[in-house]
Amino acid sequence: MHNCHNDSAKVVSAKAIAVLASLLLMVGVTSCSQPAQQAPQQATANNSADEVLTATDPLLFVDPLIGTDGKGKTYPGATVPYGMVQLSPDNGRTGWDWIAGYFYPDTIIAGFSHTHLSGTGAGDLYDISFMPLRLPLKREKTDGGPAAGTLVSSFSHQQEQAQAGYYQVYLPDYRVNVELTAGLRTGYQRYRFDEIQAANSAPLIRLDLGYSRNWDKTTASAIRIIDAYSIEGYRYSSGWAPKQKVYFYTKFSKPISSLQWQLACDTEQLQADGSLSTVELSAAAKQQQGVAVALLLQFATAHRDITVRTALSSVSSDNARQNLLAEGEALSFDEVKQQAQQAWRTELSQVQVTASRDNLIQFYTALYHSALAPRVFADSDGRFLGPDGQVHQRTDHTHHDFFSLWDTFRALHPWKTLFNPERNQQQLLSLLDHAEISGLLPVWNFQGNETDMMLGYHAVPVLVDNYLKGHLTSKQPQELGDKILQLAVKSAKQQAFGLQSYQQLGYVPYAERKWNVALTLEYAYDDWAIARLAEHLGKTDIAAEFRARSQNYHQHFDTTTGFMRAKDGAGKFRMPFDPNAYHPEDYCEANAWQYSFFVPHDVPGLIALYGGPAAFTAKLDQMFSTAQLISSQTSASQTSSAQPLPEWISGYIGQYVHGNEPSHHVPYLYQYAGKPAKTQALVRRIMHELYSTKPDGLAGNEDAGQMSAWYLFSALGFYPVDPVSGEYVLGSPEVHQAILQLGNGKQLTVKALNQSPQHLYVKAVTFNGTPVTGFTISHQQLMQGGELIFTMSEQAP
């Protein structure tokens, strides 16, 4: 979730889709409004939610509509694993609910744009927006839209479907069926206009480069008509990332007959008879530039089926064209769709799960969401826009972008260490690309920009975790390790972002910076990662320095209250203090409860601060049982700066918040205190209550895959509390069985014997026949392959 800017830094489930597809085939529906779909090859539509199934085709269990309602902030449109293009519908509104462009409860669609963010707290992108139209046009006033109203169509979820790599919706106001699919750097739309006998019924397509909502603002745009079938141009914008450049090249399957140039805020120009006032293509101006250019294209009435293929680039329109050529300009929509879905099938088949139908949908949709970031940013020739605003090129790896590191260092990046080392290495090298160009590792990079969103230097634990696991390979491993260490130390020794005081005092005083408690705790964790790497490389002096810095969490601990609290420069705690209230100046997107347990690298040390396992357990129990403060409540110590947590912080169990990242590891901390049953019951409760197969099935922002990665690990029965330790803490698996195709060619099978919703507790664990006597298992062990077997029980151990 990202609502803090660091100036320093009605359900359509997979089952419903299958039922709809089967019914359409049975009745022979083939009209544009309800296209026939291929019947599922695996008979799952009639299975009950509790029946145990094995996923032989994972695509049948992916529902991209999960997370599009409630707090999830995901988009339902078409993309491929780690794809540059995210072609998805937009409702045309500004607001928190429309961060991803689309909000499930809405009833209108304003266009289909090619770039979207998955589950973040910042609304941006929506680049290169197309909308199929037909007279008469419908405008509706929408928040954030033009004064004259936004061109929209109503739609119904009964005439909509979303699959991995494919999206379809019928727009009744224009009698057109829309289908979307995608390649790695291209989006493909297919418009099928119903045949109607009416005047002025010619198909229209509007390209609106001025379309912007939420944080996004168009700063410059241009369109050039190349010929009757091709256009190109660019859209520059500012928003979350300050200097965004998106170039495009579009190819139509049918020739443009006439057109009307517009500014994005213009209404259409009509003739007296109600027809559109257009200029024949041969006589029209072929290029327009401006802040917000739009183009309304008219096609011959007989051309009711029109495909629109658009390639993107951060470099140039010519590079966008080359990206289209590289993927195959002559490919049909169905061929591209087949390739997209096969790419997803390959990606998702790295894990074959046996579980209930609902759990399969939850698991494979989470796996789908986990493969949406980071994503390809370089063109087919290796060129990309760098954080210095210049074009750079890499030919030895594909440069990726969109690293939501404050969220994803916790579980998403550790999850990727289990699979596909080649792709994982490309993403990791992209972090080093950024540092080579800008001089520093990224905090939160996006569209070639450093946003300085959130806090910490969390690229460090991501790189260290992968280096120590052997996922960052090089012909000179020591040299590569030294390079990472040098960059890590450089990040840690900056004199900005509160780091000067942190280095001098061991903490960030509240008078100096907001989020001061959060900054100290997260810096301490990142310092631990530096110490681990330095120790591995034999740099004992650096290791000792940063191991000492990693203990700075002690600075904020108040033994009287048992909370991490803000301090002034003299070491005195801020007063008054209310742990249940939201103090945004001290904690980032959290209160004292959620941050007081953020010491993932030294849980034994944290337990000692509380006075031992019993007191630590009692404090955890209190966290999960203390009611949240709501806006109608006040407390004796509450001041104007102490508020209830904002509505976008969600997914509560007591004061535990699953809808945001800082406390994701907390349910597993009971294990360190000798209370495994409490961890086991809690993680199963979270999976059961805070994840579902409904559109509002995510308890908080998806946050570029972190929310899903938590589920993926937990459903298998283990979680990386401290990613750079190389250890996983055991929990309680939700699946019956999972077979993981590991990145080293070996296979890991996870089994839960005697599994059921009532059997929450783990009676015993074995790995390759040997009992696991502690509460952790190492990454190195799992990568050997074999069988990890949990014996489940209804009784707590």
Side-chain angles (χ1 to χ4, degrees):
M1 182 177 295
H2 306 291
N3 268 1
C4 301
H5 187 278
N6 184 359
D7 60 345
S8 65
K10 320 175 202 186
V11 179
V12 181
S13 66
K15 178 178 179 180
I17 292 170
V19 170
L20 174 62
S22 299
L23 288 173
L24 290 175
L25 286 172
M26 289 169 60
V27 300
V29 176
T30 58
S31 74
C32 296
S33 61
Q34 293 284 6
Q37 301 296 313
Q38 183 177 358
Q41 297 301 304
Q42 183 177 346
T44 62
N46 295 321
N47 294 116
S48 71
D50 294 331
E51 185 175 354
V52 177
L53 306 168
T54 296
T56 58
D57 184 354
L59 265 63
L60 297 175
F61 300 99
V62 174
D63 185 357
L65 288 170
I66 294 175
T68 60
D69 194 357
K71 311 295 185 182
K73 306 295 179 283
T74 62
Y75 59 86
T79 188
V80 296
Y82 308 103
M84 179 187 289
V85 167
Q86 310 84 39
L87 181 54
S88 192
D90 299 311
N91 299 132
R93 304 186 198 274
T94 284
W96 170 245
D97 289 328
W98 289 272
I99 288 291
Y102 173 101
F103 186 48
Y104 188 84
D106 211 327
T107 57
I108 59 171
I109 286 176
F112 304 89
S113 60
H114 284 71
T115 59
H116 293 83
L117 293 166
S118 178
T120 64
D124 206 343
L125 298 181
Y126 327 118
D127 294 289
I128 321 303
S129 177
F130 286 88
M131 182 67 172
L133 303 165
R134 193 181 239 163
L135 295 178
L137 303 181
K138 175 182 176 181
R139 286 187 179 269
E140 181 173 315
K141 291 294 183 69
T142 63
D143 290 342
T150 301
L151 284 169
V152 301
S153 173
S154 61
F155 80 105
S156 165
H157 295 306
Q158 282 66 50
Q159 294 180 309
E160 176 190 46
Q161 59 178 306
Q163 304 170 7
Y166 176 75
Y167 174 86
Q168 174 271 328
V169 67
Y170 182 68
L171 305 181
D173 292 319
Y174 305 120
R175 300 285 298 274
V176 58
N177 190 70
V178 178
E179 296 174 274
L180 312 177
T181 191
L184 185 62
R185 300 177 178 90
T186 61
Y188 211 147
Q189 305 175 73
R190 179 160 64 189
Y191 303 148
R192 286 179 166 170
F193 292 83
D194 289 353
E195 184 175 6
I196 58 175
Q197 301 299 321
N200 304 324
S201 62
L204 306 172
I205 299 175
R206 189 171 192 255
L207 169 59
D208 183 359
L209 298 187
Y211 181 89
S212 61
R213 299 294 187 272
N214 295 305
W215 297 17
D216 179 53
K217 181 180 179 181
T218 311
T219 57
S221 61
I223 303 173
R224 185 173 78 89
I225 300 171
I226 301 170
D227 55 40
Y229 294 89
S230 309
I231 61 176
E232 65 180 14
Y234 61 80
R235 179 179 187 264
Y236 297 170
S237 61
S238 65
W240 185 359
K243 296 180 180 179
Q244 303 175 46
K245 294 183 177 181
V246 178
Y247 297 89
F248 71 94
Y249 173 85
T250 295
K251 193 84 172 179
F252 300 98
S253 64
K254 299 295 192 297
I256 303 164
S257 61
S258 60
L259 59 90
Q260 181 183 117
W261 288 103
Q262 301 175 329
L263 293 176
C265 58
D266 283 352
T267 57
E268 55 286 347
Q269 300 172 29
L270 300 178
Q271 305 276 20
D273 63 358
S275 63
L276 191 68
S277 178
T278 61
V279 179
E280 294 295 319
L281 178 63
S282 59
K286 298 301 189 293
Q287 183 169 341
Q288 290 286 346
Q289 290 178 281
V291 172
V293 176
L295 178 61
L296 190 58
L297 302 172
Q298 182 166 284
F299 295 80
T301 303
H303 293 158
R304 294 187 299 108
D305 288 11
I306 303 173
T307 57
V308 185
R309 194 165 187 191
T310 300
L312 303 185
S313 167
S314 65
V315 175
S316 68
S317 295
D318 185 63
N319 256 37
R321 184 176 70 87
Q322 294 302 322
N323 288 339
L324 178 57
L325 293 174
E327 293 185 21
E329 185 181 22
L331 291 176
S332 69
F333 180 93
D334 290 325
E335 288 173 323
V336 175
K337 175 188 173 185
Q338 183 180 18
Q339 289 181 359
Q341 297 200 315
Q342 186 55 46
W344 278 115
R345 187 171 286 110
T346 299
E347 179 71 26
L348 303 177
S349 294
Q350 293 177 113
V351 188
Q352 185 183 56
V353 175
T354 300
S356 70
R357 182 182 59 81
D358 276 1
N359 289 161
L360 287 177
I361 294 171
Q362 288 171 316
F363 190 94
Y364 282 108
T365 302
L367 193 56
Y368 167 85
H369 282 143
S370 77
L372 298 180
R375 56 204 192 196
V376 168
F377 193 60
D379 293 339
S380 55
D381 65 358
R383 289 196 286 170
F384 61 94
L385 182 70
D388 59 352
Q390 303 301 309
V391 173
H392 300 267
Q393 186 173 31
R394 297 292 184 271
T395 57
D396 61 336
H397 64 273
T398 301
H399 183 81
H400 287 61
D401 193 269
F402 184 36
F403 284 85
S404 182
L405 293 164
W406 183 78
D407 307 294
T408 57
F409 85 91
R410 306 165 197 268
L412 179 69
H413 287 287
W415 175 258
K416 295 180 189 298
T417 66
L418 295 169
F419 310 100
N420 201 331
E422 181 180 352
R423 174 181 285 151
N424 193 36
Q425 173 142 325
Q426 292 181 18
Q427 296 177 356
L428 299 167
L429 291 174
S430 300
L431 295 175
L432 298 179
D433 290 342
H434 183 101
E436 183 179 327
I437 296 166
S438 71
L440 283 170
L441 289 168
V443 175
W444 212 122
N445 67 330
F446 165 57
Q447 294 298 94
N449 289 232
E450 173 60 87
T451 68
D452 281 324
M453 180 68 74
M454 309 310 288
L455 62 158
Y457 28 96
H458 295 314
V460 172
V462 171
L463 289 166
V464 171
D465 177 37
N466 279 272
Y467 182 81
L468 295 179
K469 288 175 179 175
H471 284 275
L472 259 174
T473 59
S474 170
K475 293 180 180 178
Q476 294 86 29
Q478 180 75 27
E479 181 180 325
L480 177 60
D482 289 343
K483 178 180 180 180
I484 295 170
L485 181 61
Q486 180 183 13
L487 289 169
V489 170
K490 186 176 181 181
S491 290
K493 292 196 172 183
Q494 297 175 80
Q495 297 300 300
F497 314 152
L499 277 165
Q500 184 173 8
S501 293
Y502 175 80
Q503 293 172 79
Q504 293 173 351
L505 302 174
Y507 64 95
V508 181
Y510 64 74
E512 180 175 347
R513 295 198 68 79
K514 66 176 182 178
W515 314 342
N516 49 88
V517 177
L519 283 166
T520 297
L521 296 175
E522 302 212 24
Y523 288 156
Y525 179 74
D526 294 340
D527 289 342
W528 161 252
I530 295 173
R532 287 271 297 162
L533 177 60
E535 185 177 20
H536 177 82
L537 296 171
K539 311 288 186 179
T540 56
D541 53 340
I542 298 177
E545 176 188 357
F546 282 90
R547 190 175 292 275
R549 283 176 48 151
S550 76
Q551 295 296 299
N552 282 340
Y553 70 88
H554 288 81
Q555 296 281 355
H556 285 290
F557 189 77
D558 175 15
T559 57
T560 302
T561 63
F563 289 100
M564 299 289 181
R565 294 181 56 188
K567 296 168 70 174
D568 64 17
K572 294 181 180 180
F573 290 117
R574 184 200 289 268
M575 293 295 291
F577 172 69
D578 182 353
N580 300 334
Y582 180 47
H583 296 267
E585 69 274 21
D586 296 335
Y587 310 95
C588 180
E589 299 185 352
N591 64 17
W593 280 107
Q594 286 110 50
Y595 257 106
S596 290
F597 298 100
F598 188 75
V599 188
H601 57 293
D602 188 17
V603 181
L606 182 63
I607 291 173
L609 288 180
Y610 278 101
F616 183 70
T617 298
K619 194 70 172 183
L620 286 174
D621 288 346
Q622 190 181 1
M623 179 188 195
F624 286 99
S625 61
T626 298
Q628 67 188 89
L629 184 68
I630 59 176
S631 58
S632 61
Q633 296 174 327
T634 59
S635 59
S637 61
Q638 189 174 345
T639 68
S640 60
S641 64
Q643 314 150 26
L645 287 166
E647 63 88 17
W648 42 264
I649 296 179
S650 55
Y652 287 90
I653 299 177
Q655 285 291 332
Y656 172 77
V657 171
H658 193 70
N660 208 9
E661 282 67 29
S663 51
H664 268 186
H665 65 294
V666 173
Y668 288 89
L669 297 185
Y670 280 111
Q671 283 278 25
Y672 295 82
K675 299 294 181 181
K678 289 180 178 287
T679 285
Q680 293 158 14
L682 265 172
V683 297
R684 290 289 285 271
R685 179 182 176 185
I686 291 167
M687 286 187 279
H688 177 70
E689 294 182 2
L690 301 180
Y691 293 85
S692 81
T693 59
K694 297 179 180 179
D696 64 353
L698 295 175
N701 286 180
E702 166 60 14
D703 278 330
Q706 169 61 25
M707 192 69 68
S708 288
W710 187 97
Y711 180 86
L712 294 170
F713 271 122
S714 296
L716 297 181
F718 50 91
Y719 186 81
V721 169
D722 171 14
V724 301
S725 71
E727 298 284 331
Y728 300 106
V729 176
L730 298 174
S732 175
E734 188 176 55
V735 304
H736 288 250
Q737 178 175 288
I739 302 173
L740 288 69
Q741 305 301 327
L742 302 174
N744 58 6
K746 296 183 180 180
Q747 181 174 288
L748 172 66
T749 299
V750 178
K751 292 182 179 180
L753 306 181
N754 201 30
Q755 178 69 289
S756 80
Q758 295 74 39
H759 293 178
L760 309 178
Y761 302 106
V762 178
K763 183 178 180 180
V765 183
T766 63
F767 182 66
N768 289 337
T770 300
V772 177
T773 55
F775 62 86
T776 65
I777 191 166
S778 72
H779 179 83
Q780 184 179 14
Q781 285 177 285
L782 295 183
M783 295 303 287
Q784 295 171 8
E787 287 190 331
L788 177 63
I789 299 178
F790 296 81
T791 301
M792 309 304 294
S793 172
E794 194 171 5
Q795 302 298 321

